[in-house]
Amino acid sequence: MENILQQLVNGLSLGSIYALIALGYTMVYGIIKLINFAHGEIYMLGAFIGYVFIQYFHLPFFVALVGAMICCAGIGVLIEFLAYRPLRGSTRIAALITAIGVSFLIQNVMKLRFFAGAEPRAFPQAIEQKMIEVGPIMVSNIQLLILGTTVVLMLGLQIIVMKTKMGKAMRAVSVDADAAMLMGISVNQTISFTFAIGSALAAAGGVMIGLYYNSIDPMMGVTPGLKAFVAAVFGGIGLIPGAALGGFSIGLIETFVSASSIEGLSAYKDAIVYFILIIVLLIKPTGLLGKNTKEKV
Amino acid sequence: MLKVKDLTVKYGVIEAVHGVSFEVKKGEIVSLVGANGAGKTTILRTISGLVRPAGGSIQFKELELTKTAPQKIVAAGLSQVPEGRHVFSGLSVMENLEMGAFLKKKNQDSKRVLQEVFERFPILADRKNQDAATLSGGEQQMLAMGRALMSEPDLLLLDEPSMGLAPIFIKEIFDIIQEIQKQGTTVLLIEQNANMALSIADRGYVLETGSLVLSGTGEELLASEEVRKAYLGG
Ligand SMILES: Nc1ncnc2c1ncn2[C@@H]1O[C@H](COP(=O)(O)OP(=O)(O)O)[C@@H](O)[C@H]1O
Ligand SMILES: [Mg+2]
């Protein structure tokens, strides 16, 4: 029982990170129907920017976190502007291939010695890890920080999307870009806004994982990026609550499989995550929260 | 107020609109009628800047619309209710109306405009917290019109507002269009339903496969032999 509770906390912490990345995937998909494969690299860049702020500028952790979020928001907007916008209106496969190209480009530029180099770096312990006893289980203060920050960011996102003018415009463009233009909504600005928000969330995930695992490298975005993409599809791509649910689900599944006492199972944790995705999609092709929408005439 | 001159629109190699010219004067209701596929929607989308023409010009007030971004066109006082209504599903009725006022500042004035829209379409006030997708076709049409009025346009474009509606709703919609005109908004109305559209129009044009073939006052067109034959069953 203690073990299950313990793994639940571990799974939710990891799931938070997946959820933060998945939100960006799903929002971008919702608005331009593009799987932004460079999104995992934004997460990686977020980690590195946070590292620079803490290591070289000696900024407090949360200042570095917010700084990395702002920088990555800008980087996300720039990537959309330079790489995806010129392809608006061309085939989806062209945009997808471009996204994969951007992803490789960022990884390899970061591997250059001038930038980060290929070797992993130790992320500074800006907040010292402490274990806290909560009833029968041990929770680290970093885990609580991850969970708390994620909840705050998700609530913030919810407020932005549901209550602000730009958030409403984002939903309007997602459902009907032409009609949105007839309202005087600038589709380009709205798409930029979406990239900014999604990238900021991924950056927050990157900085927090740096603190959690103490190690960052230019390839660190690949696997979490893929898993977060799986999470977004799992929850229902294009749906914000789906991304959150999918992220936490994948984090939990992965953690429980790793911790399971079945001999050798943990080596297959990733395979099991993908296997579950396939099963879910076979039963419900639109994902857990997806509706099989029919247009009303 | 709106001057369309020699407008030509192509989709790839196919020319959908061939050198169309017409005019809408301040305070009028002008109806553009024509069969399905004649090019009516194409013309309206070109006016709103969603489609760029192969040739010709569209003058609205001092603006050349063929070179103006869609949001600037809305800001200049031109608003469109698109064919098929296109309300934002997943957004509430209220949020749909807010999107209609996207370019306006939120203040006393915008509250007054919202109040006017609710007075004109009381059903929208009743349903304001409902998802727009749950409205009936007639209600969605009213929402689409209310949404377009939120920007207080000087010129309102309506693309087949009667499409797919029950006769009782059609009558109501056409009454409302006339009220809108009386309160000072100029209207360009597009319809397949030529009888209704021409009977409320000051002037009208008949479009056939991308070209204008007739023009005149609403009464003249309703009385004309060609229109009767082609659209009103003899
Ligand atoms: N997006 C498009 N791509 C290619 N052809 C189109 C497109 N939209 C309309 N058309 C063609 O242009 C012509 C005019 O269509 P439309 O403007 O929708 O007519 P209407 O509104 O009068 O029914 C039709 O032949 C139609 O098939
Ligand atoms: Mg049409």
Side-chain angles (χ1 to χ4, degrees), chain A residues 179-193:
Chain A
M181 283 201 257
L182 291 178
M183 305 296 109
I185 296 171
S186 160
V187 170
N188 281 338
Q189 272 173 28
T190 311
I191 291 172
S192 296
F193 179 74

Side-chain angles (χ1 to χ4, degrees), chain B residues 150-194:
Chain B
M150 289 295 289
S151 66
E152 294 188 279
D154 299 318
L155 174 60
L156 182 67
L157 312 182
L158 294 154
D159 194 345
E160 302 214 33
S162 76
M163 188 167 69
L165 299 188
I168 176 150
F169 267 125
I170 298 183
K171 168 105 185 38
E172 196 173 346
I173 295 281
F174 277 85
D175 286 346
I176 292 169
I177 294 171
Q178 284 177 291
E179 280 171 34
I180 291 171
Q181 176 208 21
K182 284 205 190 81
Q183 298 192 346
T185 305
T186 308
V187 176
L188 173 58
L189 171 64
I190 285 208
E191 269 294 344
Q192 279 187 60
N193 189 339

Side-chain angles (χ1 to χ4, degrees), chain B residues 10-12 14-17 34-45 51 83 159-160 190 192 207 210:
Chain B
K10 289 183 181 169
Y11 292 111
I14 300 161
E15 196 172 292
V17 175
N36 192 17
K40 306 181 297 296
T41 298
T42 302
I43 292 174
L44 277 209
R45 288 174 61 83
V51 173
E83 179 180 307
D159 194 345
E160 302 214 33
I190 285 208
Q192 279 187 60
L207 189 70

Side-chain angles (χ1 to χ4, degrees), chain A residues 10-296:
Chain A
N10 296 349
L12 286 176
S13 315
L14 185 61
S16 298
I17 305 294
Y18 292 153
L20 287 175
I21 310 174
L23 286 165
Y25 267 117
T26 231
M27 290 195 300
V28 164
Y29 184 86
I31 205 155
I32 52 171
K33 304 289 171 279
L34 167 72
I35 308 289
N36 178 18
F37 270 111
H39 194 55
E41 276 53 60
I42 299 281
Y43 156 88
M44 176 270 288
L45 288 175
F48 272 95
I49 294 168
Y51 166 86
V52 168
F53 281 159
I54 294 169
Q55 183 82 2
Y56 299 109
F57 293 87
H58 308 291
L59 295 176
F61 179 77
F62 278 103
V63 176
L65 180 84
V66 172
M69 288 174 72
I70 293 170
C71 293
C72 282
I75 294 170
V77 169
L78 198 67
I79 291 175
E80 189 275 328
F81 182 77
L82 294 176
Y84 305 148
R85 188 168 300 182
L87 291 173
R88 196 93 47 77
S90 62
T91 59
R92 275 164 75 172
I93 191 77
L96 190 69
I97 291 168
T98 305
I100 295 172
V102 171
S103 161
F104 284 145
L105 179 72
I106 296 175
Q107 286 164 15
N108 286 296
V109 167
M110 282 301 282
K111 277 188 201 165
L112 296 176
R113 190 157 299 280
F114 180 75
F115 288 95
E119 298 307 312
R121 286 176 185 234
F123 197 90
Q125 273 216 309
I127 294 175
E128 202 184 328
Q129 180 149 343
K130 286 198 204 87
M131 298 308 282
I132 303 162
E133 238 174 278
V134 183
I137 58 169
M138 297 296 283
V139 181
S140 84
N141 57 339
I142 310 273
Q143 287 180 319
L144 291 179
L145 178 149
I146 291 176
L147 280 170
T149 307
T150 302
V151 168
V152 168
L153 290 175
M154 282 181 178
L155 288 176
L157 176 68
Q158 188 68 8
I159 291 169
I160 289 174
V161 170
M162 299 312 288
K163 300 285 179 215
T164 68
K165 199 165 168 177
M166 270 322 275
K168 290 173 192 175
M170 210 169 100
R171 287 188 286 145
V173 173
S174 292
V175 293
D176 197 330
D178 270 4
M181 283 201 257
L182 291 178
M183 305 296 109
I185 296 171
S186 160
V187 170
N188 281 338
Q189 272 173 28
T190 311
I191 291 172
S192 296
F193 179 74
T194 307
F195 271 85
I197 301 280
S199 303
L201 293 175
V207 179
M208 291 196 293
I209 210 75
L211 189 66
Y212 193 35
Y213 288 163
N214 295 326
S215 164
I216 58 173
D217 70 272
M219 299 304 285
M220 67 181 272
V222 178
T223 307
L226 200 58
K227 293 222 183 99
F229 166 59
V230 170
V233 176
F234 188 83
I237 187 108
L239 302 170
I240 288 176
L245 177 68
F248 285 122
S249 307
I250 302 280
L252 286 170
I253 294 169
E254 194 182 315
T255 307
F256 276 102
V257 171
S258 301
S260 96
S261 48
I262 303 169
E263 192 71 34
L265 193 61
S266 73
Y268 293 103
K269 68 178 164 70
D270 290 358
I272 289 170
V273 166
Y274 298 125
F275 182 72
I276 291 174
L277 170 78
I278 292 168
I279 300 290
V280 167
L281 292 187
L282 282 176
I283 298 167
K284 210 154 176 298
T286 48
L288 285 180
L289 299 186
K291 278 186 274 218
N292 299 333
T293 43
K294 277 224 171 78
E295 286 294 313
K296 196 168 186 163

